[in-house]
Coordinates of all heavy atoms in Angstrom, one line a residue:
D9 N 0.8 -1.2 0.0 CA 0.0 0.0 0.0 C 0.9 1.3 0.0 O 1.9 1.3 0.6 CB -0.9 0.0 1.2 CG -1.9 1.1 1.3 OD1 -2.5 1.4 0.3 OD2 -2.0 1.7 2.4
A10 N 0.4 2.3 -0.7 CA 1.2 3.5 -0.8 C 1.4 4.2 0.5 O 2.4 4.8 0.8 CB 0.5 4.4 -1.8
G11 N 0.4 4.1 1.4 CA 0.4 4.8 2.7 C 1.5 4.1 3.6 O 2.2 4.8 4.3
I12 N 1.6 2.8 3.5 CA 2.6 2.1 4.2 C 4.0 2.6 3.8 O 4.9 2.8 4.6 CB 2.5 0.6 4.1 CG1 1.2 0.2 4.8 CG2 3.6 -0.1 4.7 CD1 0.8 -1.3 4.6
R13 N 4.2 2.6 2.5 CA 5.5 3.1 1.9 C 5.8 4.5 2.3 O 6.9 4.9 2.6 CB 5.5 2.9 0.4 CG 5.8 1.5 0.0 CD 6.1 1.4 -1.5 NE 5.1 2.2 -2.3 CZ 4.1 1.7 -3.0 NH1 3.9 0.4 -3.0 NH2 3.3 2.5 -3.6
L14 N 4.8 5.4 2.2 CA 5.0 6.8 2.5 C 5.4 7.0 3.9 O 6.3 7.9 4.1 CB 3.6 7.6 2.2 CG 3.6 9.1 2.5 CD1 4.6 9.8 1.5 CD2 2.2 9.6 2.3
L15 N 4.9 6.3 4.8 CA 5.3 6.4 6.2 C 6.5 5.5 6.6 O 6.9 5.6 7.7 CB 4.1 6.1 7.1 CG 2.9 7.1 7.0 CD1 1.7 6.7 7.8 CD2 3.4 8.5 7.4
G16 N 7.0 4.7 5.7 CA 8.1 3.9 5.9 C 7.8 2.7 6.9 O 8.7 2.3 7.6
L17 N 6.6 2.2 6.8 CA 6.3 1.1 7.6 C 6.4 -0.2 6.9 O 6.5 -0.3 5.7 CB 4.8 1.2 8.1 CG 4.5 2.4 9.0 CD1 3.0 2.6 9.0 CD2 5.0 2.2 10.4
K18 N 6.5 -1.3 7.7 CA 6.5 -2.7 7.1 C 5.1 -3.3 7.3 O 4.4 -2.9 8.3 CB 7.6 -3.5 7.8 CG 9.0 -3.0 7.6 CD 10.0 -3.8 8.3 CE 11.4 -3.2 8.1 NZ 12.4 -3.9 8.8
P19 N 4.7 -4.2 6.5 CA 3.4 -4.9 6.7 C 3.4 -5.5 8.0 O 4.4 -6.0 8.6 CB 3.4 -5.9 5.6 CG 4.3 -5.4 4.5 CD 5.4 -4.6 5.2
G20 N 2.2 -5.5 8.7 CA 2.0 -6.0 10.0 C 2.4 -5.0 11.1 O 2.6 -5.4 12.2
F21 N 2.4 -3.7 10.7 CA 2.8 -2.7 11.7 C 1.7 -2.6 12.8 O 0.6 -3.0 12.6 CB 2.9 -1.3 11.0 CG 1.6 -0.9 10.3 CD1 0.6 -0.2 11.0 CD2 1.3 -1.3 9.0 CE1 -0.5 0.2 10.4 CE2 0.2 -0.9 8.4 CZ -0.8 -0.1 9.1
T22 N 2.1 -2.1 13.9 CA 1.2 -1.9 15.1 C 0.8 -0.4 15.1 O 1.3 0.4 14.4 CB 1.9 -2.2 16.4 OG1 3.0 -1.2 16.6 CG2 2.5 -3.6 16.4
E23 N -0.2 -0.1 15.9 CA -0.7 1.2 16.1 C 0.4 2.1 16.6 O 0.5 3.3 16.2 CB -1.9 1.3 17.0 CG -2.6 2.7 17.0 CD -3.9 2.7 17.8 OE1 -4.5 1.6 18.0 OE2 -4.3 3.8 18.1
R24 N 1.2 1.6 17.5 CA 2.3 2.4 18.1 C 3.3 2.7 17.0 O 3.8 3.9 17.0 CB 2.9 1.6 19.2 CG 4.1 2.3 19.9 CD 4.7 1.4 20.9 NE 5.0 2.2 22.1 CZ 5.1 1.8 23.3 NH1 5.0 0.5 23.6 NH2 5.4 2.6 24.3
E25 N 3.7 1.8 16.2 CA 4.6 2.0 15.1 C 4.0 3.0 14.1 O 4.8 3.9 13.6 CB 4.9 0.7 14.3 CG 5.7 -0.2 15.2 CD 5.8 -1.6 14.5 OE1 4.9 -2.0 13.8 OE2 6.9 -2.3 14.8
L26 N 2.7 2.9 13.8 CA 2.1 3.9 12.9 C 2.2 5.3 13.5 O 2.5 6.2 12.7 CB 0.6 3.5 12.7 CG -0.3 4.4 11.9 CD1 0.3 4.7 10.5 CD2 -1.7 3.9 11.8
K27 N 1.9 5.4 14.7 CA 1.9 6.8 15.3 C 3.3 7.4 15.3 O 3.5 8.5 15.0 CB 1.4 6.7 16.8 CG 1.1 8.0 17.4 CD 0.6 7.7 18.8 CE -0.5 8.7 19.2 NZ -1.1 8.5 20.5
A28 N 4.3 6.6 15.6 CA 5.7 7.0 15.6 C 6.1 7.4 14.2 O 6.8 8.5 14.0 CB 6.6 6.0 16.2
A29 N 5.8 6.6 13.2 CA 6.1 6.9 11.8 C 5.4 8.2 11.3 O 6.0 9.0 10.6 CB 5.8 5.7 10.9
Y30 N 4.2 8.3 11.7 CA 3.4 9.5 11.3 C 4.1 10.8 11.9 O 4.3 11.8 11.2 CB 2.0 9.4 11.8 CG 1.2 10.7 11.7 CD1 0.7 11.2 10.5 CD2 0.9 11.5 12.9 CE1 0.0 12.4 10.4 CE2 0.2 12.7 12.8 CZ -0.2 13.1 11.6 OH -0.9 14.3 11.5
R31 N 4.4 10.8 13.2 CA 5.0 11.9 13.8 C 6.3 12.3 13.2 O 6.6 13.5 13.0 CB 5.2 11.7 15.3 CG 3.8 11.7 16.1 CD 4.0 11.5 17.5 NE 2.8 11.7 18.3 CZ 2.6 11.4 19.5 NH1 3.7 11.0 20.3 NH2 1.5 11.6 20.1
Q32 N 7.1 11.3 12.9 CA 8.4 11.5 12.3 C 8.2 12.1 10.9 O 8.9 13.1 10.5 CB 9.2 10.2 12.2 CG 10.6 10.4 11.6 CD 11.4 9.2 11.5 OE1 10.9 8.1 11.9 NE2 12.6 9.3 11.1
A33 N 7.3 11.6 10.1 CA 7.1 12.0 8.7 C 6.6 13.5 8.7 O 7.0 14.3 7.9 CB 6.1 11.1 8.0
I34 N 5.6 13.8 9.7 CA 5.1 15.2 9.8 C 6.2 16.1 10.2 O 6.4 17.2 9.6 CB 3.9 15.2 10.7 CG1 2.7 14.6 10.1 CG2 3.6 16.7 11.2 CD1 2.2 15.4 8.9
K35 N 7.0 15.7 11.1 CA 8.1 16.6 11.6 C 9.1 16.9 10.5 O 9.5 18.0 10.3 CB 8.8 15.8 12.7 CG 9.9 16.7 13.4 CD 10.6 15.9 14.5 CE 11.7 16.7 15.2 NZ 12.3 15.9 16.2
M36 N 9.4 15.9 9.6 CA 10.3 16.1 8.5 C 9.8 16.9 7.4 O 10.5 17.5 6.6 CB 10.8 14.8 8.0 CG 11.6 14.0 9.1 SD 13.1 14.8 9.6 CE 14.1 14.8 8.1
N37 N 8.5 16.8 7.2 CA 7.8 17.4 6.0 C 6.9 18.6 6.2 O 6.2 19.0 5.3 CB 7.1 16.3 5.2 CG 8.0 15.2 4.7 OD1 8.7 15.4 3.7 ND2 8.0 14.1 5.4
H38 N 6.9 19.1 7.4 CA 5.9 20.2 7.7 C 6.3 21.4 7.0 O 7.5 21.8 6.9 CB 5.9 20.4 9.3 CG 4.7 21.2 9.7 ND1 4.6 22.5 9.6 CD2 3.5 20.7 10.2 CE1 3.4 22.9 10.0 NE2 2.8 21.8 10.4
P39 N 5.3 22.1 6.5 CA 5.6 23.4 5.7 C 6.3 24.4 6.5 O 7.1 25.3 6.0 CB 4.2 23.9 5.4 CG 3.3 22.7 5.4 CD 3.9 21.8 6.4
D40 N 6.2 24.5 7.8 CA 6.9 25.4 8.6 C 8.4 25.2 8.6 O 9.2 26.2 8.8 CB 6.5 25.4 10.1 CG 5.1 25.9 10.3 OD1 4.6 26.6 9.4 OD2 4.5 25.7 11.4
R41 N 8.9 24.0 8.2 CA 10.3 23.8 8.1 C 10.9 24.5 6.9 O 12.1 24.7 6.8 CB 10.6 22.3 8.0 CG 10.4 21.6 9.4 CD 10.7 20.1 9.3 NE 12.1 19.9 8.9 CZ 13.1 19.6 9.8 NH1 12.8 19.7 11.1 NH2 14.3 19.4 9.3
V42 N 10.1 24.8 5.9 CA 10.6 25.4 4.7 C 10.0 26.8 4.5 O 10.0 27.3 3.4 CB 10.3 24.5 3.4 CG1 11.1 23.2 3.5 CG2 8.8 24.2 3.3
A43 N 9.5 27.4 5.6 CA 8.8 28.7 5.5 C 9.7 29.8 4.9 O 9.3 30.7 4.2 CB 8.3 29.1 6.8
S44 N 11.0 29.7 5.1 CA 11.9 30.7 4.6 C 12.4 30.4 3.2 O 13.2 31.2 2.6 CB 13.2 30.8 5.5 OG 13.9 29.6 5.6
M45 N 12.0 29.3 2.6 CA 12.5 28.9 1.3 C 11.5 29.4 0.2 O 10.5 30.0 0.6 CB 12.6 27.4 1.2 CG 13.7 26.8 2.1 SD 13.7 25.1 1.9 CE 15.5 24.8 1.8
A46 N 11.8 29.1 -1.0 CA 10.9 29.5 -2.1 C 9.5 28.9 -2.0 O 9.3 27.9 -1.3 CB 11.5 29.1 -3.4
V47 N 8.6 29.6 -2.6 CA 7.1 29.2 -2.5 C 7.0 27.7 -3.0 O 6.1 27.0 -2.5 CB 6.2 30.2 -3.3 CG1 4.8 29.7 -3.3 CG2 6.3 31.5 -2.7
V48 N 7.7 27.4 -4.0 CA 7.6 26.0 -4.6 C 7.8 25.0 -3.5 O 7.2 23.9 -3.4 CB 8.4 25.8 -5.8 CG1 9.9 25.8 -5.5 CG2 8.0 24.6 -6.5
F49 N 8.8 25.2 -2.6 CA 9.1 24.2 -1.6 C 8.0 24.2 -0.5 O 7.7 23.1 0.0 CB 10.4 24.6 -0.9 CG 11.6 24.4 -1.8 CD1 12.4 25.4 -2.3 CD2 12.0 23.1 -2.2 CE1 13.5 25.2 -3.1 CE2 13.1 22.9 -3.0 CZ 13.8 24.0 -3.5
Q50 N 7.4 25.3 -0.3 CA 6.3 25.4 0.7 C 5.1 24.6 0.1 O 4.4 23.9 0.9 CB 5.9 26.9 0.9 CG 7.0 27.6 1.7 CD 6.7 29.1 1.8 OE1 5.6 29.5 1.6 NE2 7.7 29.9 2.1
L51 N 4.8 24.8 -1.2 CA 3.7 24.1 -1.8 C 3.9 22.5 -1.8 O 3.0 21.8 -1.5 CB 3.5 24.6 -3.2 CG 3.0 26.0 -3.3 CD1 2.9 26.4 -4.8 CD2 1.6 26.1 -2.7
L52 N 5.2 22.2 -2.1 CA 5.5 20.7 -2.0 C 5.3 20.2 -0.6 O 4.8 19.1 -0.4 CB 6.9 20.5 -2.6 CG 7.1 20.7 -4.1 CD1 8.6 20.6 -4.4 CD2 6.3 19.6 -4.8
A53 N 5.8 20.9 0.4 CA 5.6 20.5 1.7 C 4.2 20.4 2.1 O 3.8 19.4 2.8 CB 6.4 21.4 2.7
E54 N 3.3 21.3 1.7 CA 1.9 21.2 2.0 C 1.3 20.0 1.4 O 0.5 19.3 2.0 CB 1.2 22.5 1.5 CG 1.5 23.7 2.3 CD 0.8 24.9 1.7 OE1 -0.1 24.8 0.8 OE2 1.2 26.0 2.1
R55 N 1.6 19.7 0.1 CA 1.1 18.5 -0.6 C 1.6 17.2 0.2 O 0.8 16.3 0.3 CB 1.6 18.4 -2.0 CG 0.9 19.4 -2.9 CD 1.3 19.2 -4.3 NE 0.9 20.3 -5.2 CZ 1.4 20.5 -6.4 NH1 2.4 19.8 -6.9 NH2 1.0 21.6 -7.1
R56 N 2.8 17.2 0.5 CA 3.4 16.0 1.2 C 2.7 15.8 2.6 O 2.3 14.7 2.9 CB 4.9 16.2 1.4 CG 5.5 15.1 2.0 CD 6.2 14.2 0.9 NE 7.0 13.2 1.6 CZ 7.3 12.1 1.1 NH1 6.9 11.8 -0.1 NH2 8.1 11.2 1.8
T57 N 2.4 16.9 3.3 CA 1.8 16.8 4.6 C 0.3 16.3 4.4 O -0.1 15.5 5.2 CB 1.8 18.2 5.3 OG1 3.1 18.6 5.5 CG2 1.1 18.2 6.6
K58 N -0.3 16.8 3.4 CA -1.7 16.3 3.1 C -1.7 14.8 2.8 O -2.6 14.1 3.3 CB -2.3 17.1 2.0 CG -2.8 18.5 2.3 CD -3.4 19.2 1.2 CE -3.7 20.6 1.5 NZ -4.3 21.3 0.4
A59 N -0.7 14.4 2.0 CA -0.6 13.0 1.7 C -0.3 12.1 2.9 O -0.9 11.0 3.1 CB 0.4 12.7 0.6
I60 N 0.5 12.6 3.8 CA 0.9 11.9 5.0 C -0.4 11.8 5.9 O -0.7 10.8 6.5 CB 2.0 12.6 5.8 CG1 3.3 12.5 5.0 CG2 2.2 12.1 7.2 CD1 4.4 13.4 5.4
N61 N -1.1 12.9 6.1 CA -2.3 12.9 6.9 C -3.4 11.9 6.3 O -4.0 11.2 7.1 CB -2.9 14.3 7.0 CG -2.2 15.2 7.9 OD1 -1.6 14.7 8.9 ND2 -2.1 16.5 7.6
Q62 N -3.5 11.9 5.0 CA -4.5 11.0 4.4 C -4.1 9.5 4.6 O -4.9 8.7 4.9 CB -4.6 11.3 2.9 CG -5.4 12.6 2.7 CD -5.4 12.9 1.2 OE1 -4.6 12.4 0.4 NE2 -6.2 13.9 0.8
A63 N -2.8 9.2 4.5 CA -2.3 7.9 4.7 C -2.5 7.5 6.1 O -2.9 6.3 6.4 CB -0.8 7.8 4.3
Y64 N -2.2 8.4 7.1 CA -2.4 8.0 8.5 C -3.8 7.7 8.8 O -4.1 6.7 9.5 CB -1.9 9.2 9.3 CG -2.0 9.0 10.8 CD1 -1.2 8.1 11.5 CD2 -2.8 9.8 11.6 CE1 -1.3 7.9 12.8 CE2 -2.9 9.7 12.9 CZ -2.2 8.7 13.6 OH -2.3 8.5 14.9
A65 N -4.7 8.5 8.3 CA -6.2 8.3 8.6 C -6.6 7.0 8.0 O -7.3 6.2 8.6 CB -7.0 9.4 8.0
K66 N -6.2 6.7 6.8 CA -6.5 5.4 6.1 C -6.0 4.2 6.9 O -6.7 3.2 7.1 CB -6.0 5.4 4.7 CG -6.3 4.2 3.9 CD -5.8 4.3 2.5 CE -6.0 3.0 1.7 NZ -5.4 3.0 0.4
L67 N -4.7 4.3 7.3 CA -4.1 3.2 8.0 C -4.7 3.0 9.4 O -4.9 1.9 9.9 CB -2.6 3.4 8.1 CG -1.9 3.3 6.7 CD1 -0.4 3.7 6.9 CD2 -2.1 1.9 6.1
L68 N -5.2 4.1 10.0 CA -5.9 4.0 11.3 C -7.2 3.2 11.1 O -7.5 2.4 11.9 CB -6.2 5.3 11.9 CG -5.1 6.0 12.7 CD1 -5.5 7.3 13.2 CD2 -4.7 5.1 13.9
L69 N -7.9 3.5 10.0 CA -9.1 2.8 9.7 C -8.9 1.3 9.5 O -9.6 0.5 9.9 CB -9.8 3.4 8.5 CG -10.4 4.8 8.8 CD1 -11.0 5.4 7.5 CD2 -11.5 4.7 9.8
I70 N -7.8 1.0 8.8 CA -7.4 -0.4 8.5 C -7.2 -1.1 9.8 O -7.5 -2.3 10.0 CB -6.2 -0.5 7.6 CG1 -6.6 0.0 6.2 CG2 -5.6 -1.9 7.6 CD1 -5.5 0.1 5.2
L71 N -6.5 -0.4 10.8 CA -6.3 -1.0 12.1 C -7.6 -1.1 12.9 O -7.6 -1.7 14.0 CB -5.3 -0.2 12.9 CG -3.8 -0.3 12.4 CD1 -2.9 0.6 13.2 CD2 -3.3 -1.8 12.5
G72 N -8.6 -0.5 12.4 CA -9.9 -0.6 13.2 C -10.2 0.5 14.2 O -11.0 0.4 15.0
R73 N -9.4 1.6 14.0 CA -9.6 2.7 14.9 C -10.2 3.9 14.2 O -9.7 4.2 13.1 CB -8.2 3.1 15.5 CG -8.4 4.2 16.5 CD -7.1 4.3 17.4 NE -7.2 5.4 18.2 CZ -6.4 6.5 18.1 NH1 -5.5 6.5 17.2 NH2 -6.6 7.5 18.9
K74 N -11.2 4.5 14.7 CA -11.8 5.7 14.1 C -10.9 6.9 14.2 O -10.2 7.1 15.2 CB -13.1 6.0 14.7 CG -14.1 5.0 14.5 CD -15.5 5.4 14.9 CE -16.5 4.3 14.6 NZ -17.8 4.7 15.0
V75 N -10.9 7.7 13.2 CA -10.0 8.9 13.1 C -10.6 10.0 14.0 O -11.8 10.3 14.0 CB -9.8 9.4 11.7 CG1 -9.0 10.7 11.6 CG2 -9.2 8.3 10.8

């Protein structure tokens, strides 16, 4: 699944691993980290953050937990 790859998880991940991977991915890709850079980098960071959030929500549902 693309969400698993995006967050760097392995199949059979736990909720704890998912949460840790999500936090790390958001920390590394948050738009505030590139606020002083060109607008194109800010837009890419926003897109990446949205994709990470969507992947996290989808994987939580797969684990059976409501978002």
Side-chain angles (χ1 to χ4, degrees):
D9 184 48
I12 292 173
R13 283 192 312 258
L14 179 64
L15 293 175
L17 294 166
K18 295 179 182 176
F21 60 90
T22 65
E23 187 174 343
R24 182 181 221 158
E25 292 169 330
L26 173 59
K27 191 177 219 179
Y30 169 76
R31 287 181 175 174
Q32 181 179 3
I34 286 295
K35 185 178 178 182
M36 296 297 295
N37 294 285
H38 199 276
D40 289 347
R41 289 182 59 95
V42 294
S44 63
M45 296 178 135
V47 174
V48 68
F49 292 111
Q50 294 172 16
L51 293 174
L52 288 172
E54 286 177 15
R55 285 185 194 163
R56 184 96 170 156
T57 300
K58 285 180 185 177
I60 291 167
N61 284 327
Q62 290 173 345
Y64 180 65
K66 181 180 176 184
L67 293 172
L68 276 178
L69 288 175
I70 289 171
L71 286 176
R73 184 162 173 247
K74 293 186 178 182
V75 180

